[in-house]
Amino acid sequence: MSEPAKSIAIEDLTEAQAVLELEHLAGLIADYDIEYYQNDAPSISDGDYDALRRRNQDIEARFPELKRSDSPSDQVGAEVTEKFEKVPHAVAMLSLGNAFDDDDVGEFIDRIRRFLKLDEQEPLTITAEPKIDGLSATIRYEQGHMTVGATRGDGRVGENITANLRTIMDIPDTLPGPDIPDIVEVRGEVYMGHADFAALNARYVAEGKPPFANPRNAAAGSLRQLDSGITASRPLRFFAYAWGEMSTMPEDTQTGMVDTFAAWGFPINSLTKRCKNVTELIDVYREIESQRASLDYDIDGVVYKVDRLDWQDRLGFVSRAPRWAIAHKFPAEKATTILRDIEIQVGRTGSLTPVAKLEPVTVGGVVVSNATLHNEDEIARKDVRTGDTVIVQRAGDVIPQVLGPVLEKRPDGSIPFVYPTVCPACGSNAVRDVNPVTGKEDVVRRCTGGLICPAQAVEKLKHFVSRNAFDIEGLGAKQIEAFYVDGRIMNPADIFTLEKRDARSSTRLKDIDGWGDLSAQNLFAAIDARREIALNRFIYALGIRHVGQTTAMLLARTYGTFEALQSAILSAKDEEGDAFQELVATDKIGLVMSRALIDFFSEAHNQDVLRQLLGEVGPVPVEAVRSDTVIAGKRIVFTGSLEIMSRDEAKARAESLGAKVVGSVSKNADLVVAGPGAGSKLKKAVELGIEVIDEETWIVLSDK
Ligand code: IVH
């Protein structure tokens, strides 16, 4: 995915640039959300993702009137921020500075001695322990009982994942013994072991799900589940190595504290050593590095910490890292091998990714036969060619990457790699978005054949039948997968010809395991019930890039009929022409979305399926926005749990009555409907003096 356009300072943004960037961010964040929440496979770090959201919010704060109807701070943003409650950390969760070589370690020790004014004779004990490559978590105990568990978050505020942390066997629910301080916060790393990771991935592959890229992602995906039952089924482990708030300190050294945690039942890392000088630290570092490949968990360095806690206190912090600790990182492991082929894989969202097919080679104890080449531009920049001898690197145990060719070994007659401009899975055009702010192309090329591309088909079909799209009863994700595999439903039009084809088929649906005469008839009836469908749902169902529910509604209202929409988009193909300018200027549509619409409707494969689909289904115009109701034109926020109506129904009801549903409480909101468990939003509404009602009042109000 493309890099955020972070070059322009918020205060220097012109209004026009802000419009474009907000549009760009909305699309980008939506894509990352899909990777994160649906695929458990984020391609950017949490920090970078948060930075994107913050940038979006900052731009909105400066230009409130430019806030989009599909703003990430409202829509998916609501999902993200509401996914887990926020928990402020009583004591901040810090990060660590890095040392990359022995000299950096020497300087670290010198700095500490200087800072503490220790003379040469004064012993300085430093602990050395593996840096675990997982996710840090903090667990709070009051009177010996676990009360709250949280992620690190931004260091000051984390996410409440108590229920999930409770499922981890390594984390005790209660602390034993009479001498437990009233308040204890144990911190450490949640991780997944290699053997467990391999078994989980094998199960995923067998179930037709995409495997996790590495144990860290698997641990992250498992820990951030809303359903703690899922977390419980994932083999997560924990090492304790630090602490937060403590009402009394049981020990006065790092070692003593960690040993206490062990006595309380927490696993601690057995490779931890106490050292007296740099030489000993480096020895431990080499020793741990030599064991790295045979450990059952990923580590990416060694952490050194001053043992005496009174000295830790005196040393304190610089920005967000302690002066008393440092992470000595392992260098990336490298090897050379032959690049046999460059394969272009198509992801479930249509992104084309180049994968290097390698002569298998051992890198840091692991046999590597595939490596990432990142993207089209990287291949061109490095001029990597099939047949080259290439340098392969595993850095921090992420997917191995090809660093570049060894030119002296290039075989005669080799030719530069030509990146495909059509999708290798379906033959549709593959395009690169242009970032409207920087004018630069996205690094990722994407297939535009969303409706027919086999690489994307199952995901698109699931989207097509999803609750806010066609919402066909009895045809959910599970059935779609099965029908795709047995060839019954390969594209959306197939759904509507299912009954006809079934009647002529030798393997009737009713005879298949799990189906019967009645359930098959019910399914056909449910499908028939959707032959007429609101235009906005129809548009949304197509899964056009950047077109979410709000945009689909906007398009439905703007164009009235599908034919009108289609012909407006097709006539806007020429970017110099008036029709294009008109499309881009449409309220909240903009450049990125216009191009996505044009790409989608111009693709011949999509046109074919649309033609078939429109032969079966009739989208009907949506009602005009109401202005005659008590809540018409009001901005409404729903928060907490609703007990009578589902959120979706409440939202649909509000919208049908001419109101606008927004995700966050700001001074622009008019009404907050708060159910049980409403938290920060309710508080904010009260602070801002916004009217708050409960669900029952809402029912009465929305009935009028
Ligand atoms: S100590 C105040 N010890 O590394 C220092 N951190 O880069 C708190 N990590 O967020 C951290 N293993 O997630 C410490 N043995 C270890 C660690 C460790 C992994 C992670 C931790 C932290 C990050 C900082």
Side-chain angles (χ1 to χ4, degrees):
M1 273 173 214
S2 67
E3 280 297 300
K6 51 190 161 207
S7 42
I8 307 172
I10 304 267
E11 55 274 19
D12 296 339
L13 278 176
T14 64
E15 190 164 329
Q17 285 168 328
V19 170
L20 294 174
E21 191 171 349
L22 286 175
E23 178 183 1
H24 179 67
L25 284 169
L28 202 60
I29 292 171
D31 283 345
Y32 287 133
D33 283 341
I34 292 177
E35 289 182 351
Y36 191 96
Y37 290 103
Q38 295 177 19
N39 307 346
D40 265 357
S43 68
I44 57 164
S45 70
D46 288 0
D48 289 348
Y49 174 85
D50 289 344
L52 286 179
R53 299 193 72 91
R54 260 198 311 278
R55 171 126 182 130
N56 185 71
Q57 268 174 7
D58 291 347
I59 299 175
E60 286 174 350
R62 198 184 142 209
F63 299 99
E65 66 290 352
L66 297 185
K67 186 166 170 192
R68 299 168 57 84
S69 54
D70 65 346
S71 161
S73 3
D74 281 351
Q75 289 208 330
V76 203
E79 247 171 67
V80 173
T81 45
E82 278 180 12
K83 196 173 172 191
F84 296 104
E85 293 251 327
K86 300 278 179 225
V87 205
H89 298 306
V91 175
M93 290 182 80
L94 301 163
S95 57
L96 291 169
N98 289 323
F100 294 102
D101 55 29
D102 298 0
D103 287 348
D104 291 347
V105 181
E107 274 169 31
F108 167 68
I109 299 298
D110 290 347
R111 255 194 328 266
I112 291 171
R113 285 192 163 276
R114 270 200 311 272
F115 191 96
L116 297 173
K117 291 201 183 339
L118 304 184
D119 64 44
E120 275 177 28
Q121 277 68 265
E122 180 87 67
L124 168 64
T125 307
I126 307 280
T127 61
E129 67 197 73
K131 183 168 192 295
I132 317 296
D133 197 9
L135 299 106
S136 48
T138 180
I139 305 123
R140 187 179 173 91
Y141 296 83
E142 291 175 21
Q143 272 75 44
H145 295 282
M146 176 170 173
T147 53
V148 182
T151 61
R152 177 171 181 273
D154 65 3
R156 286 176 307 106
V157 179
E159 286 176 317
N160 187 333
I161 50 162
T162 312
N164 295 350
L165 288 171
R166 275 191 209 281
T167 69
I168 301 178
M169 306 273 258
D170 284 345
I171 298 177
D173 245 343
T174 52
L175 304 182
D179 302 324
I180 307 293
D182 286 350
I183 294 174
V184 168
E185 270 179 30
V186 176
R187 293 180 174 174
E189 205 80 355
V190 175
Y191 67 96
M192 193 178 285
H194 288 164
D196 288 333
F197 168 72
L200 178 71
N201 262 358
R203 201 176 85 209
Y204 260 51
V205 171
E207 289 168 3
K209 298 183 196 155
F212 291 105
N214 55 44
R216 190 183 180 280
N217 277 3
S222 306
L223 201 55
R224 304 192 46 171
Q225 291 288 336
L226 275 184
D227 175 357
S228 59
I230 299 180
T231 311
S233 73
R234 306 275 175 86
L236 294 177
R237 317 265 342 237
F238 184 75
F239 276 128
Y241 55 65
W243 57 93
E245 187 179 351
M246 301 286 296
S247 53
T248 49
M249 291 293 280
E251 294 283 338
D252 56 9
T253 60
Q254 176 74 32
T255 317
M257 288 297 287
V258 174
D259 286 346
T260 305
F261 296 156
W264 288 345
F266 290 93
I268 62 169
N269 196 288
S270 62
L271 301 175
T272 309
K273 294 271 161 34
R274 296 169 84 220
C275 302
K276 294 193 295 291
N277 53 45
V278 177
T279 319
E280 287 186 16
L281 287 176
I282 303 297
D283 283 348
V284 175
Y285 174 85
R286 302 251 183 278
E287 169 62 24
I288 293 179
E289 189 180 22
S290 73
Q291 295 192 39
R292 185 180 185 189
S294 57
L295 294 177
D296 185 45
Y297 47 86
D298 281 347
I299 61 174
D300 55 357
V302 176
V303 183
Y304 307 135
K305 298 172 184 170
V306 170
D307 202 29
R308 271 178 62 166
L309 300 185
D310 56 339
W311 285 355
Q312 285 193 2
D313 283 345
R314 275 175 60 195
L315 284 156
F317 309 95
V318 232
S319 66
R320 295 171 67 193
R323 276 197 199 84
W324 47 265
I326 201 163
H328 189 180
K329 300 299 266 292
F330 292 134
E333 290 150 308
K334 293 181 193 157
T336 54
T337 187
I338 308 281
L339 176 65
R340 282 183 181 156
D341 196 8
I342 297 176
E343 193 178 287
I344 306 294
Q345 294 182 351
V346 190
R348 300 195 305 171
T349 56
S351 52
L352 270 49
T353 352
V355 176
K357 296 286 167 183
L358 304 166
E359 201 71 55
V361 61
T362 306
V363 193
V366 174
V367 179
V368 170
S369 45
N370 295 315
T372 176
L373 281 159
H374 298 289
N375 55 56
E376 183 172 354
D377 294 349
E378 282 293 291
I379 296 181
R381 194 175 65 76
K382 293 172 184 158
D383 185 22
V384 188
R385 306 178 183 189
T386 306
D388 272 346
T389 296
V390 291
I391 304 167
V392 182
Q393 164 173 299
R394 276 177 71 225
D397 285 312
V398 290
I399 309 164
Q401 40 185 311
V402 173
L403 290 185
V406 182
L407 288 178
E408 307 80 72
K409 296 199 177 169
R410 173 164 284 170
D412 289 341
S414 79
I415 44 165
F417 181 73
V418 181
Y419 208 83
T421 53
V422 294
C423 170
C426 73
S428 298
N429 274 325
V431 299
R432 292 171 67 168
D433 281 357
V434 174
N435 179 324
V437 178
T438 59
K440 278 202 242 150
E441 277 187 316
D442 235 20
V443 288
V444 177
R445 193 174 278 281
R446 277 171 198 283
C447 167
T448 55
L451 292 180
I452 54 111
C453 180
Q456 301 173 67
V458 172
E459 278 325 292
K460 294 282 179 185
L461 281 167
K462 283 185 197 165
H463 172 81
F464 189 86
V465 298
S466 66
R467 205 158 36 131
N468 297 313
F470 266 76
D471 191 22
I472 297 172
E473 201 169 333
L475 192 59
K478 213 174 85 200
Q479 292 79 11
I480 284 289
E481 280 193 5
F483 289 165
Y484 189 80
V485 172
D486 74 10
R488 259 168 240 269
I489 295 180
M490 308 297 282
N491 72 48
D494 290 347
I495 296 173
F496 296 93
T497 55
L498 186 65
E499 183 173 11
K500 241 188 306 179
R501 286 181 292 117
D502 189 65
R504 300 191 302 257
S505 165
S506 54
T507 46
R508 302 285 305 266
L509 182 60
K510 64 182 168 64
D511 301 326
I512 291 185
D513 226 16
W515 292 86
D517 208 8
L518 186 65
S519 53
Q521 284 314 316
N522 285 346
L523 177 64
F524 298 143
I527 291 172
D528 278 343
R530 290 287 185 272
R531 285 185 191 272
E532 207 169 81
I533 183 154
L535 179 56
N536 59 313
R537 278 179 177 262
F538 184 85
I539 298 170
Y540 174 67
L542 299 177
I544 305 167
R545 198 164 141 72
H546 303 300
V547 178
Q549 283 181 74
T550 317
T551 312
M553 181 57 95
L554 187 72
L555 292 169
R557 291 226 162 99
T558 309
Y559 293 97
T561 65
F562 190 74
E563 290 66 30
L565 167 69
Q566 195 170 12
S567 72
I569 303 292
L570 287 174
S571 61
K573 263 181 167 174
D574 170 14
E575 293 210 358
E576 303 301 313
D578 291 347
F580 182 78
Q581 297 308 327
E582 207 172 298
L583 178 65
V584 174
T586 311
D587 183 33
K588 310 235 169 60
I589 297 278
L591 194 59
V592 172
M593 224 180 265
S594 300
R595 287 191 175 137
L597 285 162
I598 293 168
D599 286 339
F600 179 89
F601 282 102
S602 318
E603 174 52 54
H605 297 91
N606 291 342
Q607 284 175 4
D608 278 350
V609 174
L610 278 175
R611 217 170 295 122
Q612 292 172 43
L613 190 59
L614 290 166
E616 302 289 335
V617 176
V620 293
V622 292
E623 295 161 28
V625 186
R626 306 255 315 245
S627 57
D628 56 341
T629 66
V630 272
I631 57 167
K634 295 226 154 103
R635 292 167 70 91
I636 301 186
V637 181
F638 291 97
T639 181
S641 53
L642 299 186
E643 287 168 339
I644 306 167
M645 246 182 221
S646 73
R647 247 286 163 133
D648 281 332
E649 187 183 351
K651 188 169 173 225
R653 172 101 66 113
E655 281 169 354
S656 74
L657 294 171
K660 183 165 164 43
V661 178
V662 293
S664 60
V665 177
S666 69
K667 61 179 186 326
N668 296 331
D670 299 298
L671 183 65
V672 172
V673 181
S680 57
K681 289 187 185 176
L682 175 57
K683 212 172 122 217
K684 191 154 176 210
V686 174
E687 277 165 21
L688 292 172
I690 294 163
E691 186 182 356
V692 178
I693 59 171
D694 61 12
E695 191 183 1
E696 271 162 30
T697 316
W698 156 250
I699 304 268
V700 176
L701 194 68
S702 62
D703 220 25
K704 283 187 185 155

